[in-house]
Structures are given as C-alpha cells and as structure tokens.
Amino acid sequence: MPKPTPMSGFPEWLPPQRMIEQHVVDSLRETFELHGFAPVETRSVEPLDQLLSKGETDKEIYLLRRLQAEADESDGAHGNQGFGLHFDLTVPFARYVLENAGKLEFPFRRYQIQKAWRGERPQEGRYREFLQADIDVVDRDTLPFHYEVELPLVVAEALRKLPLPPIRMHVNTRKIPEGFYRGLGIADYTAVLRTVDKLAKIGPDKVHALLTETAGCNPSQADACLALAQISTADASFADQVRAIGPSDPLLDEGLDELTRVIEAGRGQAEDLFIADLSVARGLDYYTGTVYETLLVGHEGLGSISSGGRYDALASDGDTTYPGVGLSIGVTRMLGRLFGQGLLDISRQVPTCVVVALPDEGSRDVCAGIAAQLRGRGIATQVAPAADKYGKQIKYAERRGIPYVWFPQPDGSGQVRDIRSGEQVDADAGQWVPLSADLRPVITGGAQ
C-alpha cells in the first residue's frame, strides 16, 4: 500500500493533542453539568429537506448514500430525497426537540458535544470535520429574558477554565438595530442589517455606498446606521451613545435596556469580559434577540470561537413554538489555531505515570501484578515492553515523558525512581502515591 495522502480539512490529532482535546471536552462537560445542562447526542445524518431549511447551505452538505444504492431506491418515509451529514448541531437539535417534546421537561437545558461536517474550502479555523460543543435552553411558547444573560456567562466560565488566551465576548441584540432603523424611518431593516453586517469585510465607505445604492437609505440615514454599527464599549455607556445619535423607538429602548443587563452581568465576572459591540449581527435568518461572538485576545483574525443567540421560532410544530437561547463553541476551530502556533502543550505524550521495569521475561507476571496494584489506586501504569537493560527501559520512559520507573526487588519489595531528579526510594505498591501534579498529564500554554 502506498503512503496515504492526508485529506485536507479532516484533522487527526497526534496523541498529545488528542489528550488536550479530551481535557477540553471533559472540562466543558463538567462546567455545563454544574449548571444543570443535560447531555444529548443526535444522529449524524438528517433528511435533506431539514438540513436545507436553515438557509443557503446546499453547497456545504455532504450527502450520504449506499455505494450500490439504486437511483430510484426508496428510503422509508423520506422517499428518495436522501440524507446528509449535519453541518452544525442546531438543526438536529431543533428536530430532536420536536420529536421528543412529549418526553422532555421544559424549560429544557441541554448540552451537546459532537462532530459535524461541512463541505467548504479548508483553511485555518475552517474544517470539513470538526467538533462543536453547544448549550441551549428551550421552552414552550415563551422564554424569559434572563436566559440571555445566563447562557453567555456559562460559556464564558467554561472557556476561562481552559488554558486559553483571554477571551472577549462581543454582544449585541437584534432589537437595537431593528428599533434604530425603525426610528430612522427605514422600512426594509433586514436589507440594511445585511449590508451593515459586511462592515468588517469591506469597510465603512463601501458599506455607506451600498446603503444608499441598494438598501434604500438616504445619505443621512446611512450615516446614522454606520455610526450605530461603530459603537463598542466595555460598559453600559453604549446606551447614551446610541441615544445621542437621535432616533427613538420602543423596540430600541427595550433592546438598550436588555443589552445593558447583559453587559453589567458580565462586568460582575470581569470588567472587560463582555463588550457591547453594535456591529454584531449573526444568524440573520433566525436570531431574534441577543447575539454573541467570542474572540481570543491576540487571535482576533481567527474569528469567533463561540457564537450564538436568542431564537424565538427555530423549532415549531405548527401548534407550539419552542423559543430558546443557545451558544456553540468551535472546539476544533479553537484548538487548531493554538496547536498550529505552538500555544498548547502537555507534560507527557501518554497518560502513563509509572513504568514497571522488567528484570527478565520470567518476571512479567510479577510485574503485571505490581502494575495492577498501582492501577487499582488510580495510578496509570504499564509494564516495560521488553526486558532490556535498565538504562534502555528508563530511556523508554524518558522519551514519553513518563515521570516514574518502578524497580521490583528480588525480595518482593520495590523501589521507585523519579527519572527527572534521579531520586530513588523504597516503595510499597499498595501505599505509594506519586506527586499529585504527576498523576495525570498537565496541559500548559494559552499565553498569547
């Protein structure tokens, strides 16, 4: 078999990176469960009509079919329309809520850590196969505003527990631009919002031109829309800046009050954790309230590593609507950047804490018994692969970063050596414990 060529966009981490990823997932899971979120896992495939319902995603969906499937083969209730791999966790979660509404208790607090697939051009921060971690709260018909304050705080707490660069969560609410545009007398606020959403990509001059040429604004309206989008503060002073521009509308007042509550709640955790950024739009098709984008300080070019917002009608069966608030963390997106820049490391290449040295092959059963004793007390242990000279067995441990080597003694006792310091002491496999910092690999890094 010839040497395989790597597939672009489908990352396969080396063992140290995979251990870091597992640590990240375990930490996220722990934080989510501390806040009362229950785990969900959905199937990897969905009917195409459901995947396509989110918007213009047809170019991103991977189709799923049997190699020998007939062109007219029926696929049960879904006919021959086919299946596709899900490209995010939101669409399958909406379907999951509708299918299981009679079995769920509302408000339903869910977290989901799972892979998704998206057929786009691979580049830094964009993969064809990637891991996401989502949390949502969904209720029937109505959902109180306080969840729009709670969920970004949960995500911020989860990210700040990880060995990452500092984060900044940029927050807005769709009510502010919509109310602002109404106050200006703009009828088609969606067209204006779509145009202003291009600000970071094309700059204010081109946005201004598009607002007047295609979005139906006059020059003074375009000036005001740009002024609104350029407001960004780490405190509640954004509200006075918005009011100083001039337009007034009840929806605008409501949005300013709600965003103030979110920003002030964030300042309760850290002064500059949340940023009121009135250029943030996100999810023009379905977000209806507060929206969030999270950046790594020093890595802003990567884009948002965690995004989401309030949606009032993402899931509906015609009789009941299920509004919710949700955020998604791009685990692979985030780790790919940090791995690529060498900003995350781990103290050893394997989980092993102790290698039991093998005096000779006849002692393998004895050494396996020692290893079993240590494992029974939660100490990751393996027996040396071969009865080489002790120097070679120590090198085996050193190359993998394993901190301790256990030497069985002829009288049945043992000695353990810390191979970093060279210190070797008598030890009992039923009582000895390593330094707490050595029990499991330690992740380091996260600096800019």
Side-chain angles (χ1 to χ4, degrees):
M1 178 179 178
K3 184 176 180 179
T5 302
M7 292 178 64
S8 179
F10 295 87
E12 293 181 320
W13 307 133
L14 293 172
Q17 296 170 323
R18 174 62 174 151
M19 286 193 290
I20 292 173
E21 182 184 59
Q22 288 178 317
H23 169 82
V24 167
V25 168
D26 289 343
S27 179
L28 294 174
R29 180 188 300 115
E30 179 183 25
T31 301
F32 296 158
E33 292 186 356
L34 282 172
H35 286 268
F37 290 85
V40 162
E41 180 170 291
T42 58
R43 64 197 184 210
S44 299
V45 299
E46 298 290 339
L48 280 180
D49 61 341
Q50 293 183 23
L51 291 173
L52 291 169
S53 67
K54 188 176 179 182
E56 296 179 3
T57 56
D58 55 307
K59 294 182 179 179
E60 298 179 354
I61 296 171
Y62 281 108
L63 295 178
L64 189 73
R65 61 183 293 271
R66 292 191 304 111
L67 182 63
Q68 300 297 328
E70 298 293 337
D72 61 349
E73 181 177 295
S74 176
D75 216 339
H78 298 286
N80 59 6
Q81 68 178 21
F83 296 131
L85 294 172
H86 61 229
F87 54 83
D88 71 0
L89 303 183
T90 304
V91 172
F93 176 58
R95 186 266 310 158
Y96 179 92
V97 169
L98 292 177
E99 285 189 9
N100 295 283
K103 305 172 185 176
L104 301 175
E105 295 294 331
F106 292 94
F108 178 47
R109 301 168 70 90
R110 150 274 198 185
Y111 78 87
Q112 185 171 350
I113 303 175
Q114 203 171 335
K115 284 192 173 182
W117 295 265
R118 185 168 294 180
E120 58 184 353
R121 184 173 66 86
Q123 54 187 298
E124 184 181 54
R126 293 191 178 275
Y127 299 92
R128 290 170 171 166
E129 180 180 65
F130 50 93
L131 185 67
Q132 288 191 186
D134 285 21
I135 61 169
D136 288 81
V137 174
V138 174
D139 210 340
R140 293 180 186 268
D141 296 322
T142 61
L143 183 75
F145 169 75
H146 64 78
Y147 291 114
E148 295 174 61
V149 180
E150 178 188 353
L151 264 71
L153 291 175
V154 174
V155 169
E157 178 184 328
L159 290 172
R160 292 169 73 199
K161 287 181 179 179
L162 300 173
L164 303 174
I167 64 166
R168 298 287 182 272
M169 186 172 287
H170 292 241
V171 189
N172 193 10
T173 172
R174 295 288 295 278
K175 295 178 182 179
I176 290 178
E178 182 177 342
F180 186 89
Y181 301 155
R182 286 181 183 178
L184 288 174
I186 296 172
D188 189 357
Y189 67 86
T190 302
V192 176
L193 194 60
R194 290 184 185 279
T195 303
V196 173
D197 194 39
K198 302 174 183 177
L199 182 61
K201 294 181 180 179
I202 65 176
D205 292 341
K206 291 184 178 179
V207 167
H208 192 282
L210 288 174
L211 287 171
T212 56
E213 294 169 6
T214 65
C217 295
N218 61 44
S220 63
Q221 288 173 330
D223 290 342
C225 292
L226 275 174
L228 177 73
Q230 292 172 325
I231 293 174
S232 178
T233 69
D235 56 25
S237 63
F238 70 89
D240 290 335
Q241 294 184 39
V242 173
R243 292 188 176 104
I245 301 175
S248 62
D249 184 87
L251 185 63
L252 173 60
D253 293 336
E254 183 180 335
L256 292 173
D257 290 342
E258 290 182 353
L259 186 55
T260 296
R261 287 175 59 183
V262 175
I263 295 300
E264 290 182 345
R267 286 173 65 80
Q269 286 201 6
E271 274 199 17
D272 53 358
L273 174 61
F274 286 179
I275 305 293
D277 183 345
L278 303 193
S279 69
V280 175
R282 290 208 61 77
L284 300 175
D285 293 331
Y286 58 88
Y287 285 127
T288 55
T290 313
V291 288
Y292 321 91
E293 288 190 347
T294 308
L295 304 179
L296 291 176
V297 175
H299 305 270
E300 289 82 0
L302 178 63
S304 179
I305 61 163
S306 175
S307 305
R310 165 75 178 242
Y311 46 85
D312 283 321
L314 186 66
S316 176
D317 60 11
D319 296 321
T320 305
T321 298
Y322 298 90
V325 180
L327 288 95
S328 175
I329 299 172
V331 177
T332 304
R333 177 184 181 87
M334 176 175 66
L335 292 181
R337 161 62 73 100
L338 299 177
F339 290 157
Q341 298 201 357
L343 293 175
L344 283 179
D345 202 359
I346 194 164
S347 58
R348 54 185 186 259
Q349 298 182 28
V350 293
T352 309
C353 179
V354 180
V355 169
V356 178
L358 193 62
D360 52 68
E361 282 299 330
S363 303
R364 185 169 290 278
D365 287 347
V366 172
C367 293
I370 295 170
Q373 277 188 282
L374 293 170
R375 290 189 206 109
R377 295 188 297 108
I379 303 169
T381 307
Q382 66 182 87
V383 177
D388 296 315
K389 292 181 179 180
Y390 277 169
K392 189 172 182 179
Q393 295 187 51
I394 292 172
K395 286 290 185 185
Y396 174 89
E398 284 179 335
R399 285 195 300 270
R400 291 159 178 79
I402 300 170
Y404 299 99
V405 176
W406 188 283
F407 296 99
Q409 301 300 302
D411 62 0
S413 63
Q415 292 188 338
V416 64
R417 177 184 295 185
D418 183 331
I419 63 175
R420 299 158 298 185
S421 66
E423 181 182 7
Q424 186 165 321
V425 297
D426 294 335
D428 180 342
Q431 296 181 348
W432 176 84
V433 292
L435 295 174
S436 59
D438 293 331
L439 191 58
R440 287 174 177 78
V442 176
I443 298 174
T444 58
Q448 297 181 42

